[in-house]
Amino acid sequence: FGGDTNGDGSMTAPSRGSWGPLVFKGSDPSHLENLLIKYGGEWDWGMTIENSNVLVDNCVIAESGRTAVFIKDSNPEIRNSTFSNNVSAIYVNHSSMPLIYDNDFMFNGVGNASGDALSVDPIHPGIVDIEDNYWASTFGPFNYNSNPGSPGQKVSGPVDYEPWETGMVNREMISKPLLDIEKSGNQVTCRQTFGFSFTDFMWDFGDGQTSSSAIGSHTYTDAGGLYEVCYSATAEYGIRVKQCQQVDLSTSLEDPRINMSIRINPNPAHESLHIELDIGESVWAEAVLLDMCGAKIATIYSGPLASGPVMWVQDVSGLEPGIYILSLCLDDRIMSRRVIVF
């Protein structure tokens, strides 16, 4: 991926798409292990696997000028590897059934109008298994139909991506950031505790605010929200990495103004939402679920409420994946909590 192949010393350096493709076509099974593959895809795919069941294990494939791996009429196995900063990572044609698992997908979709990290031909007759991969978000990959609320890498076509990994899984070829996030009320303090010295790092607090400080400190305006804090940086060999961790400020929150505590679990929710209250006074209560435009989706409860603990269960299995608002009115006091459905 380096070296002075054109004989001009240090005047030029390789960049995305500098080299041609790797092609495996009609060959006996090949085994690629512990390889760093960068800058492919000058005039074709970065790697083409056609009629050849290649095993890709513990590799890093980065900076491809086109799709990093094109799988055609093949059933390769791709595992324990990292795909970073490619125009797109993997494309699977209509007759291939690869095994793709325990991989990290980060910062793919560079300069790509569709922005896919992994895509399967929409006329594929089956469903391609891409479970147990990390998509640069604890909320899984972005998918227009089934997971539109996720900030993760985009996948498209007939795929099965559940369950997904919530953190980086490739531990050998590149450094894996380790996050230490402490929360106090609506404030977080974030550190990266791995011994390797990352460069060009950035904290993203999940509410539009960022920090380039080594120790990121942030105060949220919504003291009851669910946020995803992400640390992006450059690791060995110039590979961009991204590690995320959820911070749930609403999991167990006491509100002294209302003499109560509220607990929402699980959040994100897939089938049902459990809302637990412990109120120190008798009140009239109304709890409603709203969409992001403020339209009422459901009334969870409306009526008198005695002091003490209470739990409501709300079915969310029929809702479109995305972000919703739980609005809780206790007498004349109103609070809201963010809820994610996937």
Side-chain angles (χ1 to χ4, degrees):
F1 66 91
D4 183 21
T5 57
N6 62 356
D8 69 350
S10 59
M11 291 181 62
T12 58
S15 60
R16 185 177 298 110
S18 286
W19 314 135
L22 295 173
V23 180
F24 300 88
K25 184 174 182 180
S27 58
D28 291 332
S30 300
H31 185 181
L32 308 182
E33 186 173 4
N34 302 328
L35 299 178
L36 176 59
I37 303 169
K38 296 181 70 175
Y39 309 127
E42 177 187 18
W43 47 267
D44 206 338
W45 317 96
M47 180 190 301
T48 297
I49 302 175
E50 182 178 357
N51 294 311
S52 180
N53 295 332
V54 175
L55 171 62
V56 180
D57 186 14
N58 196 43
C59 294
V60 175
I61 303 177
E63 304 289 348
S64 296
R66 296 184 64 183
T67 298
V69 179
F70 173 50
I71 302 173
K72 182 179 180 182
D73 305 325
S74 304
N75 305 318
E77 184 174 355
I78 302 175
R79 66 191 188 197
N80 305 320
S81 296
T82 298
F83 292 83
S84 176
N85 271 70
N86 302 289
V87 172
S88 63
I90 298 176
Y91 181 81
V92 181
N93 86 327
H94 62 274
S95 60
S96 299
M97 287 297 289
L99 291 175
I100 302 171
Y101 61 94
D102 288 344
N103 303 289
D104 296 319
F105 293 86
M106 296 171 288
F107 298 102
N108 299 290
V110 178
N112 186 355
S114 66
D116 286 3
L118 185 148
S119 57
V120 175
D121 192 325
I123 65 170
H124 197 291
I127 297 177
V128 177
D129 183 358
I130 57 170
E131 297 177 359
D132 300 315
N133 294 291
Y134 177 57
W135 304 97
S137 171
T138 61
F139 298 120
F142 173 89
N143 182 276
Y144 277 123
N145 298 317
S146 58
N147 204 18
S150 173
Q153 292 271 269
K154 180 184 171 186
V155 301
S156 64
V159 295
D160 180 9
Y161 54 78
E162 295 186 68
W164 58 75
E165 297 291 338
T166 57
M168 286 180 62
V169 293
N170 187 23
R171 299 174 177 86
E172 298 184 32
M173 285 286 285
I174 60 175
S175 290
K176 172 185 172 182
L178 299 178
L179 306 187
D180 178 22
I181 300 178
E182 300 176 355
K183 61 179 182 179
S184 177
N186 60 336
Q187 185 178 46
V188 294
T189 302
C190 311
R191 299 175 178 84
Q192 191 288 120
T193 61
F194 189 78
F196 180 80
S197 179
F198 293 91
T199 59
D200 302 321
F201 50 82
M202 178 69 69
W203 293 99
D204 184 338
F205 299 107
D207 63 348
Q209 300 300 310
T210 61
S211 172
S212 58
S213 300
I215 299 178
S217 181
H218 180 58
T219 301
Y220 292 96
T221 56
D222 180 2
L226 175 70
Y227 300 96
E228 182 181 52
V229 176
C230 293
Y231 177 84
S232 59
T234 301
E236 295 102 324
Y237 313 111
I239 304 300
R240 295 287 293 167
V241 298
K242 186 176 184 180
Q243 185 75 299
C244 299
Q245 183 173 316
Q246 286 186 24
V247 175
D248 189 353
L249 302 180
S250 66
T251 299
S252 181
L253 178 68
E254 296 181 355
D255 193 332
R257 299 169 301 167
I258 307 179
N259 190 23
M260 64 158 285
S261 65
I262 179 172
R263 180 179 177 87
I264 303 173
N265 187 52
N267 193 4
H270 186 56
E271 296 182 352
S272 61
L273 195 66
H274 294 231
I275 305 158
E276 301 177 42
L277 299 180
D278 193 351
I279 306 177
E281 58 186 290
S282 297
V283 295
W284 185 90
E286 182 178 61
V288 296
L289 193 64
L290 311 173
D291 64 18
M292 290 300 288
C293 296
K296 183 186 295 186
I297 302 299
T299 298
I300 300 171
Y301 179 85
S302 181
L305 201 61
S307 62
V310 63
M311 184 176 75
W312 301 315
V313 179
Q314 175 65 35
D315 180 17
V316 296
S317 60
L319 296 181
E320 290 292 325
I323 299 175
Y324 296 84
I325 301 296
L326 170 67
S327 178
L328 181 62
C329 176
L330 301 177
D331 287 338
D332 58 348
R333 296 157 292 188
I334 300 175
M335 66 176 66
S336 62
R337 299 290 180 262
R338 186 168 65 160
V339 174
I340 295 178
V341 175
F342 69 94

